[in-house]
Each structure stands twice: as C-alpha cells, then as structure tokens.
Short mmCIF file of all heavy atoms in Angstrom, two decimals:
data_model
loop_
_atom_site.label_atom_id
_atom_site.label_comp_id
_atom_site.label_asym_id
_atom_site.label_seq_id
_atom_site.Cartn_x
_atom_site.Cartn_y
_atom_site.Cartn_z
N VAL A 288 106.59 103.55 95.90
CA VAL A 288 105.83 104.80 95.82
C VAL A 288 106.03 105.70 97.04
O VAL A 288 105.45 106.78 97.12
CB VAL A 288 104.31 104.55 95.60
CG1 VAL A 288 104.07 103.87 94.27
CG2 VAL A 288 103.69 103.77 96.74
N GLY A 289 106.84 105.24 97.99
CA GLY A 289 107.18 106.08 99.12
C GLY A 289 106.10 106.18 100.19
O GLY A 289 105.97 107.21 100.85
N LEU A 290 105.34 105.11 100.37
CA LEU A 290 104.29 105.08 101.40
C LEU A 290 104.56 103.93 102.36
O LEU A 290 105.29 102.99 102.02
CB LEU A 290 102.92 104.88 100.77
CG LEU A 290 102.41 105.96 99.82
CD1 LEU A 290 101.14 105.49 99.13
CD2 LEU A 290 102.17 107.26 100.57
N SER A 291 103.95 103.98 103.52
CA SER A 291 104.04 102.84 104.42
C SER A 291 103.16 101.72 103.84
O SER A 291 102.17 102.01 103.15
CB SER A 291 103.56 103.21 105.82
OG SER A 291 102.16 103.37 105.84
N PRO A 292 103.50 100.47 104.14
CA PRO A 292 102.68 99.37 103.62
C PRO A 292 101.21 99.46 104.04
O PRO A 292 100.32 99.21 103.22
CB PRO A 292 103.35 98.12 104.22
CG PRO A 292 104.77 98.53 104.39
CD PRO A 292 104.72 99.98 104.79
N SER A 293 100.95 99.85 105.28
CA SER A 293 99.55 99.93 105.72
C SER A 293 98.80 101.04 105.01
O SER A 293 97.63 100.87 104.62
CB SER A 293 99.46 100.10 107.24
OG SER A 293 100.09 101.30 107.64
N HIS A 294 99.45 102.19 104.79
CA HIS A 294 98.80 103.29 104.08
C HIS A 294 98.55 102.89 102.62
O HIS A 294 97.49 103.16 102.06
CB HIS A 294 99.66 104.55 104.17
CG HIS A 294 98.98 105.78 103.64
ND1 HIS A 294 97.81 106.27 104.17
CD2 HIS A 294 99.32 106.61 102.62
CE1 HIS A 294 97.44 107.35 103.49
NE2 HIS A 294 98.34 107.57 102.54
N MET A 295 99.52 102.22 102.03
CA MET A 295 99.38 101.74 100.65
C MET A 295 98.20 100.76 100.55
O MET A 295 97.39 100.85 99.64
CB MET A 295 100.68 101.06 100.22
CG MET A 295 100.65 100.44 98.87
SD MET A 295 100.91 101.68 97.61
CE MET A 295 100.87 100.64 96.18
N GLN A 296 98.11 99.85 101.52
CA GLN A 296 97.00 98.89 101.54
C GLN A 296 95.65 99.60 101.64
O GLN A 296 94.71 99.25 100.93
CB GLN A 296 97.13 97.93 102.73
CG GLN A 296 98.10 96.81 102.52
CD GLN A 296 97.49 95.67 101.71
OE1 GLN A 296 96.73 95.86 100.76
NE2 GLN A 296 97.88 94.47 102.05
N ASN A 297 95.56 100.58 102.52
CA ASN A 297 94.30 101.31 102.69
C ASN A 297 93.89 102.03 101.42
O ASN A 297 92.73 101.98 101.01
CB ASN A 297 94.41 102.31 103.85
CG ASN A 297 94.44 101.63 105.19
OD1 ASN A 297 93.97 100.51 105.34
ND2 ASN A 297 95.03 102.29 106.17
N ILE A 298 94.82 102.71 100.78
CA ILE A 298 94.53 103.42 99.54
C ILE A 298 94.06 102.43 98.47
O ILE A 298 93.06 102.65 97.79
CB ILE A 298 95.76 104.21 99.05
CG1 ILE A 298 96.04 105.38 99.99
CG2 ILE A 298 95.56 104.71 97.62
CD1 ILE A 298 97.37 106.08 99.72
N PHE A 299 94.79 101.34 98.32
CA PHE A 299 94.47 100.36 97.29
C PHE A 299 93.11 99.72 97.54
O PHE A 299 92.30 99.59 96.63
CB PHE A 299 95.56 99.28 97.23
CG PHE A 299 95.48 98.42 96.02
CD1 PHE A 299 96.11 98.79 94.84
CD2 PHE A 299 94.76 97.23 96.03
CE1 PHE A 299 96.03 98.01 93.71
CE2 PHE A 299 94.67 96.43 94.91
CZ PHE A 299 95.31 96.83 93.74
N LYS A 300 92.87 99.33 98.79
CA LYS A 300 91.59 98.67 99.11
C LYS A 300 90.42 99.62 98.92
O LYS A 300 89.36 99.22 98.42
CB LYS A 300 91.61 98.12 100.53
CG LYS A 300 90.41 97.26 100.80
CD LYS A 300 90.66 96.28 101.89
CE LYS A 300 89.48 95.33 101.94
NZ LYS A 300 89.74 94.15 102.69
N ASN A 301 90.59 100.89 99.28
CA ASN A 301 89.53 101.88 99.06
C ASN A 301 89.25 102.08 97.58
O ASN A 301 88.11 102.27 97.18
CB ASN A 301 89.87 103.21 99.73
CG ASN A 301 89.77 103.15 101.23
OD1 ASN A 301 89.07 102.32 101.79
ND2 ASN A 301 90.47 104.05 101.90
N ALA A 302 90.29 102.02 96.77
CA ALA A 302 90.12 102.24 95.33
C ALA A 302 89.58 101.02 94.59
O ALA A 302 88.83 101.17 93.63
CB ALA A 302 91.46 102.66 94.72
N THR A 303 89.96 99.82 95.04
CA THR A 303 89.61 98.62 94.27
C THR A 303 88.65 97.67 94.98
O THR A 303 88.06 96.80 94.34
CB THR A 303 90.87 97.81 93.91
OG1 THR A 303 91.44 97.29 95.11
CG2 THR A 303 91.89 98.66 93.15
N GLY A 304 88.58 97.78 96.30
CA GLY A 304 87.77 96.84 97.07
C GLY A 304 88.51 95.56 97.43
O GLY A 304 87.96 94.69 98.09
N ASN A 305 89.75 95.43 96.97
CA ASN A 305 90.56 94.24 97.25
C ASN A 305 91.88 94.64 97.86
O ASN A 305 92.37 95.74 97.63
CB ASN A 305 90.85 93.45 95.97
CG ASN A 305 89.64 92.76 95.43
OD1 ASN A 305 88.96 92.04 96.15
ND2 ASN A 305 89.36 92.97 94.16
N SER A 306 92.49 93.70 98.57
CA SER A 306 93.84 93.94 99.07
C SER A 306 94.82 93.78 97.91
O SER A 306 94.50 93.16 96.88
CB SER A 306 94.18 92.95 100.18
OG SER A 306 94.34 91.65 99.65
N ILE A 307 96.00 94.31 98.10
CA ILE A 307 97.04 94.19 97.07
C ILE A 307 97.40 92.73 96.85
O ILE A 307 97.56 92.28 95.71
CB ILE A 307 98.27 95.03 97.43
CG1 ILE A 307 97.91 96.52 97.37
CG2 ILE A 307 99.44 94.72 96.51
CD1 ILE A 307 98.98 97.45 97.92
N SER A 308 97.51 91.96 97.92
CA SER A 308 97.90 90.55 97.77
C SER A 308 96.85 89.76 97.00
O SER A 308 97.19 88.92 96.16
CB SER A 308 98.19 89.92 99.13
OG SER A 308 97.07 90.00 99.96
N VAL A 309 95.58 90.02 97.24
CA VAL A 309 94.51 89.35 96.49
C VAL A 309 94.59 89.75 95.01
O VAL A 309 94.49 88.92 94.11
CB VAL A 309 93.11 89.67 97.06
CG1 VAL A 309 92.00 89.27 96.11
CG2 VAL A 309 92.94 89.00 98.40
N TYR A 310 94.80 91.03 94.76
CA TYR A 310 94.91 91.53 93.38
C TYR A 310 96.09 90.88 92.65
O TYR A 310 95.95 90.40 91.52
CB TYR A 310 95.05 93.05 93.40
CG TYR A 310 95.13 93.67 92.03
CD1 TYR A 310 93.98 93.86 91.27
CD2 TYR A 310 96.35 94.05 91.49
CE1 TYR A 310 94.05 94.43 90.00
CE2 TYR A 310 96.44 94.62 90.23
CZ TYR A 310 95.29 94.80 89.49
OH TYR A 310 95.37 95.35 88.24
N LEU A 311 97.25 90.84 93.30
CA LEU A 311 98.43 90.23 92.68
C LEU A 311 98.22 88.74 92.43
O LEU A 311 98.60 88.22 91.37
CB LEU A 311 99.67 90.44 93.56
CG LEU A 311 100.23 91.85 93.63
CD1 LEU A 311 101.34 91.94 94.66
CD2 LEU A 311 100.71 92.31 92.26
N ARG A 312 97.60 88.05 93.39
CA ARG A 312 97.33 86.63 93.21
C ARG A 312 96.41 86.39 92.01
O ARG A 312 96.63 85.49 91.20
CB ARG A 312 96.75 86.03 94.49
CG ARG A 312 96.63 84.52 94.45
CD ARG A 312 96.29 83.88 95.79
NE ARG A 312 95.20 84.53 96.49
CZ ARG A 312 95.35 85.24 97.62
NH1 ARG A 312 96.52 85.39 98.17
NH2 ARG A 312 94.29 85.80 98.20
N ARG A 313 95.38 87.21 91.87
CA ARG A 313 94.47 87.07 90.72
C ARG A 313 95.19 87.34 89.40
O ARG A 313 94.97 86.63 88.41
CB ARG A 313 93.28 88.01 90.86
CG ARG A 313 92.27 87.51 91.82
CD ARG A 313 91.04 88.38 91.83
NE ARG A 313 90.13 87.96 92.89
CZ ARG A 313 89.26 88.74 93.46
NH1 ARG A 313 89.15 90.00 93.08
NH2 ARG A 313 88.48 88.28 94.41
N LEU A 314 96.05 88.35 89.38
CA LEU A 314 96.83 88.62 88.17
C LEU A 314 97.70 87.42 87.81
O LEU A 314 97.78 87.02 86.64
CB LEU A 314 97.73 89.84 88.36
CG LEU A 314 97.10 91.21 88.27
CD1 LEU A 314 98.15 92.30 88.55
CD2 LEU A 314 96.49 91.44 86.90
N ARG A 315 98.35 86.86 88.81
CA ARG A 315 99.21 85.70 88.58
C ARG A 315 98.42 84.49 88.12
O ARG A 315 98.84 83.76 87.22
CB ARG A 315 100.01 85.39 89.85
CG ARG A 315 101.05 86.44 90.14
CD ARG A 315 101.76 86.20 91.46
NE ARG A 315 102.84 87.16 91.60
CZ ARG A 315 103.14 87.79 92.73
NH1 ARG A 315 102.45 87.55 93.84
NH2 ARG A 315 104.13 88.65 92.77
N LEU A 316 97.26 84.28 88.71
CA LEU A 316 96.41 83.16 88.30
C LEU A 316 95.90 83.35 86.87
O LEU A 316 95.84 82.38 86.09
CB LEU A 316 95.23 82.99 89.26
CG LEU A 316 95.58 82.39 90.62
CD1 LEU A 316 94.41 82.53 91.58
CD2 LEU A 316 96.01 80.94 90.48
N ASN A 317 95.52 84.56 86.52
CA ASN A 317 95.07 84.83 85.14
C ASN A 317 96.18 84.57 84.14
O ASN A 317 95.96 84.00 83.08
CB ASN A 317 94.55 86.26 85.01
CG ASN A 317 93.22 86.48 85.70
OD1 ASN A 317 92.49 85.52 85.96
ND2 ASN A 317 92.92 87.72 86.01
N LYS A 318 97.41 84.99 84.49
CA LYS A 318 98.55 84.75 83.61
C LYS A 318 98.80 83.25 83.46
O LYS A 318 99.03 82.75 82.37
CB LYS A 318 99.80 85.46 84.15
CG LYS A 318 101.03 85.27 83.29
CD LYS A 318 102.20 86.06 83.85
CE LYS A 318 103.45 85.82 83.07
NZ LYS A 318 103.62 86.69 81.93
N ALA A 319 98.72 82.52 84.57
CA ALA A 319 98.92 81.07 84.53
C ALA A 319 97.84 80.41 83.68
O ALA A 319 98.15 79.54 82.85
CB ALA A 319 98.91 80.50 85.94
N ALA A 320 96.60 80.81 83.85
CA ALA A 320 95.50 80.23 83.06
C ALA A 320 95.71 80.49 81.58
O ALA A 320 95.47 79.60 80.74
CB ALA A 320 94.17 80.81 83.53
N GLN A 321 96.17 81.68 81.25
CA GLN A 321 96.43 82.02 79.85
C GLN A 321 97.53 81.11 79.28
O GLN A 321 97.41 80.59 78.17
CB GLN A 321 96.87 83.48 79.79
CG GLN A 321 96.58 84.19 78.53
CD GLN A 321 96.89 85.68 78.68
OE1 GLN A 321 97.79 86.09 79.43
NE2 GLN A 321 96.14 86.49 77.97
N MET A 322 98.59 80.90 80.05
CA MET A 322 99.69 80.04 79.59
C MET A 322 99.25 78.58 79.50
O MET A 322 99.67 77.86 78.60
CB MET A 322 100.90 80.18 80.50
CG MET A 322 101.65 81.49 80.30
SD MET A 322 103.23 81.55 81.18
CE MET A 322 102.67 81.88 82.84
#
C-alpha cells in the first residue's frame, strides 16, 4: 500500500484495536479450525 510498516501498524491498530500480526494470526487460526 506504499506506507512505512510503523505507519501501517498505527492506522490498522487505530481502526481495529489490534495489531496486524494479531489479526493475521487469528485469521490463520480460524482457517485452521475450519479445516
């Protein structure tokens, strides 16, 4: 998206309340649980 990692993290955390890594881990865990 053309942003610095720290700026991207700040935007994401402000919007969702979670870090990107926590969000990705939860998505991956949900996919694993489904499988």
Side-chain angles (χ1 to χ4, degrees):
V288 297
L290 297 171
S291 73
S293 62
H294 188 61
M295 176 81 178
Q296 280 279 39
N297 288 336
I298 291 170
F299 193 87
K300 189 156 189 165
N301 287 337
T303 67
N305 289 309
S306 70
I307 292 171
S308 58
V309 166
Y310 182 79
L311 288 173
R312 188 170 47 250
R313 283 186 187 155
L314 282 177
R315 290 175 174 138
L316 286 169
N317 288 340
K318 181 177 176 87
Q321 208 172 32
M322 286 189 282

